[in-house]
Amino acid sequence: MCFASANAHAGISDDVVKIGVLTDMGGTYADFTGQGAVVAAQMAIKDFSADGTVFGKKIEIVSADHQNKADIGAERARSWIDRDKVDVITELVTTSVALSVMDVVAQKDKIALVSGAASLPITNERCNANTVHWVYDSYGLAAGTAKAVVGAGKKNWYFIAADYAAGQAMMDGAAQVVTASGGKVVGSTKHPFPNADFSSFLLSAQASRADVIALANGGQDTITAIKQASEFGITAAGQTLVPIVLFINDVHALGLETAQGLTLTEGFYWNRDEGTRAFARRFYDQVKKMPSMAQAGVYSSVLNYLRAVQATGTDEAGAVMKHLKSTAIDDGLFKGRIRADGKFAHDMLLLEVKKPSESKEPWDYYHVRAVIPAEDAALPLSQSKCPLVTQ
């Protein structure tokens, strides 16, 4: 580890490095973010420094529930920064919340590290110099799953999308990959968020006779739609169900009997190698669940943020962001680089959910069918609308 000069710690504002975990504590996305995201941040601090300090200055965590509402998220971010002197805000599931908090940190020259939200605009047309999109986005998810499914001969797609920004972004991103791969979008419909009854949407998709019914939603909405599709016999009748974003917690909630055979893309899988397993088992000891890719992303983003503070001798946003964007990242969970647009480009995993008979232990849910290289999992910079990118 690189240590800054002895007087560099004068750059630590207020003599504290303060990290805010702003997440969904009790709503649709709480299972794969929530309190587990707070634990992941705590683990990162402990792994960075046994005594919880940097240059002798204390590292602190605050956390809050944004309730998946952009106004609540923005107000909490302002209060944290102005009153509590928070330096960096992490997690930020829900695109509308992430975008609103991004605006706040840009105005106040702090940092946002987004792990839970999926929307491509975070590092595309809405990018800013104070934000990193850490784990996954709608382009990367579609580039893996949609390309693989079309390549398997399932060319006609029907989308059921959540009626919010991320749902539209996921649908647009997947549709672009489908058509570029030789497929066709034959229809789509949008559902309210959150939603408990998908019957009318699924019946419309079934009537379309599309090869694929793609779900551009997340969390409990995705779980409910998959369960109801199974109850209606849709997959048994030959149509393929494709969730654009699915977390291991969702598979756990569904059970392998229902989820088996689903194809999906994730940025992290706990059972991939010895390093991921060691981290995951420590996390499990506290949370009693294996970590999702969003929770792993909180750990990774906080750890690398602290390393950047140590390397630069300051928690000043500009210096930290410059270091993050100029340094290769390899923390045992993720490996790659942060691009000019704020996208952390790393490999993604194309996964298939195992049959119950194939699972060797609890949470052993995936076959890794392919590794999607970072350059294929991120929107090419030549297509970027981010003003930070020099074409």
Side-chain angles (χ1 to χ4, degrees):
M1 232 176 239
C2 175
F3 289 87
S5 60
N7 63 355
H9 62 268
I12 304 299
S13 60
D14 310 299
D15 287 335
V16 176
V17 175
K18 190 166 286 190
I19 299 162
V21 182
L22 189 55
T23 187
D24 176 2
M25 289 293 191
T28 302
Y29 307 131
D31 196 30
F32 65 82
T33 58
Q35 188 58 37
V38 179
V39 170
Q42 293 167 338
M43 289 175 63
I45 293 171
K46 185 175 181 180
D47 287 353
F48 171 77
S49 169
D51 65 357
T53 67
V54 56
F55 298 117
K57 308 297 183 181
K58 190 175 180 181
I59 304 165
E60 294 182 353
I61 287 181
V62 293
S63 62
D65 183 0
H66 56 54
Q67 301 174 44
N68 296 309
K69 296 179 180 178
D71 56 343
I72 292 176
E75 180 53 38
R76 174 59 67 179
R78 289 191 193 96
S79 175
W80 271 353
I81 293 168
D82 293 341
R83 183 191 66 197
D84 300 320
K85 309 304 179 185
V86 166
D87 300 294
V88 58
I89 301 175
T90 187
E91 206 292 288
L92 297 171
V93 71
T94 311
T95 289
S96 60
V97 172
L99 291 171
S100 68
V101 172
M102 285 169 57
D103 289 343
V104 173
V105 298
Q107 293 163 8
K108 297 183 177 293
D109 199 27
K110 299 299 180 181
I111 292 174
L113 303 173
V114 182
S115 288
S119 188
L120 183 60
I122 291 169
T123 54
N124 202 24
E125 60 267 29
R126 294 287 297 276
C127 76
N128 67 43
N130 294 63
T131 299
V132 180
H133 203 177
W134 207 268
V135 182
Y136 70 103
D137 61 25
S138 52
Y139 181 93
L141 297 176
T145 307
K147 188 173 182 179
V149 174
V150 174
K154 301 179 188 300
K155 297 186 179 296
N156 294 324
W157 286 53
Y158 187 101
F159 285 89
I160 298 175
D163 192 9
Y164 53 51
Q168 185 68 49
M170 282 189 277
M171 183 167 66
D172 290 347
Q176 182 180 354
V177 173
V178 167
T179 54
S181 303
K184 180 181 179 182
V185 177
V186 299
S188 66
T189 187
K190 291 186 176 181
H191 68 81
F193 167 78
N195 190 51
D197 183 5
F198 284 85
S199 56
S200 62
F201 308 105
L202 289 166
L203 290 171
S204 295
Q206 188 177 39
S208 75
R209 298 185 182 277
D211 301 319
V212 174
I213 300 172
L215 303 175
N217 50 19
Q220 187 58 49
D221 283 344
T222 304
I223 293 169
T224 301
I226 293 172
K227 283 182 177 179
Q228 291 179 358
S230 178
E231 291 166 2
F232 293 164
I234 287 175
T235 51
Q239 287 176 298
T240 298
L241 203 64
V242 172
I244 302 301
V245 57
L246 194 72
F247 291 84
I248 195 166
N249 310 71
D250 303 329
V251 174
H252 186 74
L254 287 163
L256 292 184
E257 192 63 44
T258 298
Q260 61 182 306
L262 288 174
T263 297
L264 64 144
T265 301
E266 293 209 49
F268 168 86
Y269 176 40
W270 77 269
N271 206 13
R272 186 182 181 192
D273 57 41
E274 287 304 317
T276 57
R277 282 189 283 273
F279 162 76
R281 290 189 169 116
R282 287 195 295 131
F283 180 92
Y284 184 90
D285 286 343
Q286 298 182 64
V287 183
K288 304 310 176 189
K289 301 174 183 177
M290 287 302 181
S292 70
M293 63 174 166
Q295 291 159 341
V298 170
Y299 172 89
S300 174
S301 64
V302 170
L303 180 62
N304 284 284
Y305 169 80
L306 292 171
R307 288 175 175 175
V309 169
Q310 183 180 61
T312 58
T314 181
D315 56 8
E316 190 274 320
V320 171
M321 287 296 297
K322 183 178 180 180
H323 181 83
L324 284 170
K325 288 184 175 182
S326 64
T327 305
I329 291 172
D330 184 0
D331 54 31
L333 305 188
F334 299 91
K335 182 178 181 179
R337 283 187 173 273
I338 298 170
R339 309 189 311 181
D341 58 356
K343 169 65 178 174
F344 178 24
H346 54 77
D347 294 347
M348 299 288 285
L349 304 174
L350 182 67
L351 305 167
E352 180 185 332
V353 179
K354 291 182 174 183
K355 299 175 182 177
S357 60
E358 295 172 327
S359 179
K360 297 178 181 178
E361 61 179 304
W363 297 88
D364 174 34
Y365 292 159
Y366 296 148
H367 295 293
V368 179
R369 294 307 190 195
V371 176
I372 305 161
E375 57 268 26
D376 295 334
L379 180 75
L381 288 176
S382 61
Q383 298 176 25
S384 176
K385 299 176 183 176
C386 174
L388 301 173
V389 176
T390 302
Q391 303 292 354

